[in-house]
């Protein structure tokens, strides 16, 4: 298991009021710390945040990485017009913060991510802690995700556990 030094994070913009409690939670803050620490280690010119919700990750990434193309799609619905426009492009990095555990067709999602990821690009998945299943949060076992990603040329290269977990896949 690889560890990275986690640094405190300051989120530049306030999230929408109805999600504020979630965004302020220590668990979600650690997710952001882990994500942005990992992004500092990965070379990229473009990034797509999958399941971007209120756009917090996109806004924060744009502030931290000016001059890079950073997009987000809220729903992993590849039939949606906005998603289709964004997915005409290729990305060096794709992030999914608490998103893939909600995708009904994970194999299709993995295929689409791999198709729009540059060679040598990375998929960074932030997965919730399995202990949160009692409040209705679905947990995506990394072994299942590994099996789904592998046929699409995505191999896990890193796993960071800090309560929740961060998984990094690289496209061959």
């Amino acid at each position: 298991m690889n560890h990275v030094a986690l640094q405190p994070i300051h989120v530049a913009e306030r999230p929408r009021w109805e999600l504020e409690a979630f965004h302020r939670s220590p668990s979600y803050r650690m997710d952001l710390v882990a994500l942005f620490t990992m992004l500092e280690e990965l070379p990229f010119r473009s990034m797509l945040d999958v399941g971007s919700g209120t756009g917090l990750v996109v806004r924060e990434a744009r502030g931290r990485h000016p001059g890079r193309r950073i997009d987000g799609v809220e729903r992993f619905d590849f039939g949606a017009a906005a998603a289709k426009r964004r997915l005409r492009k290729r990305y060096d990095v794709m992030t999914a913060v608490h998103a893939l555990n909600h995708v009904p067709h994970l194999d299709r999602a993995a295929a689409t991510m791999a198709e729009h990821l540059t060679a040598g690009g990375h998929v960074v998945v932030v997965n919730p802690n399995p202990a949160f299943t009692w409040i209705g949060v679905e947990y995506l076992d990394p072994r299942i995700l590994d099996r789904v990603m592998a046929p699409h040329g995505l191999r896990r290269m890193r796993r960071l556990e800090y309560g929740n977990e961060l998984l990094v896949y690289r496209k061959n």
Side-chain angles (χ1 to χ4, degrees):
M1 174 175 26
N2 297 317
H3 295 278
V4 294
L6 300 179
Q7 301 298 319
I9 187 169
H10 169 73
V11 177
E13 289 189 43
R14 284 181 64 111
R16 292 189 329 217
W17 69 269
E18 67 268 23
L19 296 175
E20 190 169 329
F22 175 69
H23 287 156
R24 284 187 181 174
S25 75
S27 177
Y28 190 73
R29 291 296 218 189
M30 284 302 297
D31 291 337
L32 294 179
V33 168
L35 176 68
F36 288 114
T37 301
M38 184 57 62
L39 287 177
E40 289 298 325
E41 295 182 18
L42 299 175
F44 71 96
R45 292 175 308 214
S46 59
M47 178 185 121
L48 177 68
D49 183 46
V50 175
S52 59
T54 63
L56 179 65
V57 170
V58 171
R59 289 190 307 273
E60 189 68 23
R62 285 177 179 162
R64 290 168 177 262
H65 302 284
R68 297 181 190 176
R69 179 171 47 93
I70 299 173
D71 297 325
V73 288
E74 163 42 22
R75 296 187 60 188
F76 218 74
D77 173 5
F78 299 112
K84 277 189 172 183
R85 276 194 305 278
R86 286 187 180 93
L87 290 173
R88 287 187 187 137
K89 304 172 186 173
R90 292 202 178 274
Y91 294 89
D92 301 319
V93 171
M94 290 187 184
T95 59
V97 180
H98 296 237
L100 294 184
N101 55 315
H102 300 291
V103 173
H105 303 288
L106 194 52
D107 184 62
R108 190 171 78 194
T112 302
M113 285 191 295
E115 180 183 343
H116 296 283
L117 192 64
T118 59
H122 296 87
V123 176
V124 181
V125 178
V126 176
N127 203 15
N129 188 310
F132 292 122
T133 57
W134 69 274
I135 60 170
V137 175
E138 293 182 37
Y139 175 68
L140 178 58
D141 188 309
R143 294 170 295 189
I144 292 171
L145 192 55
D146 291 351
R147 283 194 300 269
V148 169
M149 298 290 225
H152 306 289
L154 298 166
R155 304 275 186 256
R156 182 167 19 126
M157 58 174 278
R158 212 157 182 193
R159 180 179 183 185
L160 171 66
E161 294 179 86
Y162 53 92
N164 292 347
E165 60 192 357
L166 182 137
L167 308 162
V168 181
Y169 293 84
R170 185 172 190 274
K171 183 177 178 181
N172 297 331

